Amino acid sequence: MVTVQEIRQAQRSEGPATILAIGTANPTNCIDQSTYADYYFRITNNEHEVKLKEKFKRMYKIYIVVVEVPKLGKLAAIKAIEEWGQPKSKITHLIFCTTSGVDMPGFRSIRQTFHDVSTR
């Protein structure tokens, strides 16, 4: 009969953990957040909507983070895989981080990129 210790030992790799690739991604363009709402309301002839513009300023920043940062995370993951040069099926661990502070963006989209990797 196999012991619990033998099962645990078989599930562990030998040797130190190694980072095999690092992927990063940055937006392809830059939009000045501090003036975008003024610009948007000016070109849509809605400068008189002062309260709406203030709300838009708050909402727009959150939208960018929640919608766009996962796309950047996926791009970074793809770059790391290409740099590593091995199939996704060989990945045993995935570490990612973000400093957005609003949401934990990226994990679902990165997980879809690595759909054949266990997510325990």
Side-chain angles (χ1 to χ4, degrees):
M1 176 173 264
V2 180
T3 66
V4 172
Q5 184 62 26
E6 290 171 329
I7 292 171
R8 291 183 74 202
Q9 186 63 34
Q11 293 175 344
R12 296 174 186 228
S13 62
E14 294 182 19
T18 304
I19 297 173
L20 301 173
I22 297 175
T24 61
N26 297 306
T28 56
N29 57 4
C30 180
I31 299 172
D32 185 357
Q33 298 282 313
S34 65
T35 60
Y36 183 76
D38 294 324
Y39 163 76
Y40 182 80
F41 277 74
R42 186 174 58 252
I43 65 169
T44 58
N45 296 320
N46 285 299
E47 289 183 284
H48 60 283
E49 298 284 355
V50 178
K51 287 184 181 180
L52 184 59
K53 188 192 314 186
E54 291 304 314
K55 184 176 181 180
F56 180 84
K57 286 179 180 180
R58 291 188 310 273
M59 291 173 53
Y60 185 70
K61 290 175 187 177
I62 294 170
Y63 168 81
I64 288 175
V65 171
V66 173
V67 173
E68 297 300 323
V69 171
K71 294 175 187 176
L72 292 174
K74 184 175 182 177
L75 181 60
I78 290 168
K79 285 181 177 181
I81 292 170
E82 289 172 356
E83 178 185 319
W84 181 40
Q86 297 292 321
K88 293 185 295 186
S89 60
K90 287 190 170 187
I91 296 171
T92 59
H93 293 75
L94 176 63
I95 300 170
F96 72 99
C97 68
T98 180
T99 58
S100 67
V102 174
D103 195 2
M104 184 86 155
F107 182 73
R108 284 183 296 279
S109 113
I110 291 172
R111 184 173 161 192
Q112 289 169 353
T113 303
F114 298 100
H115 67 280
D116 54 350
V117 176
S118 172
T119 55
R120 286 184 257 157

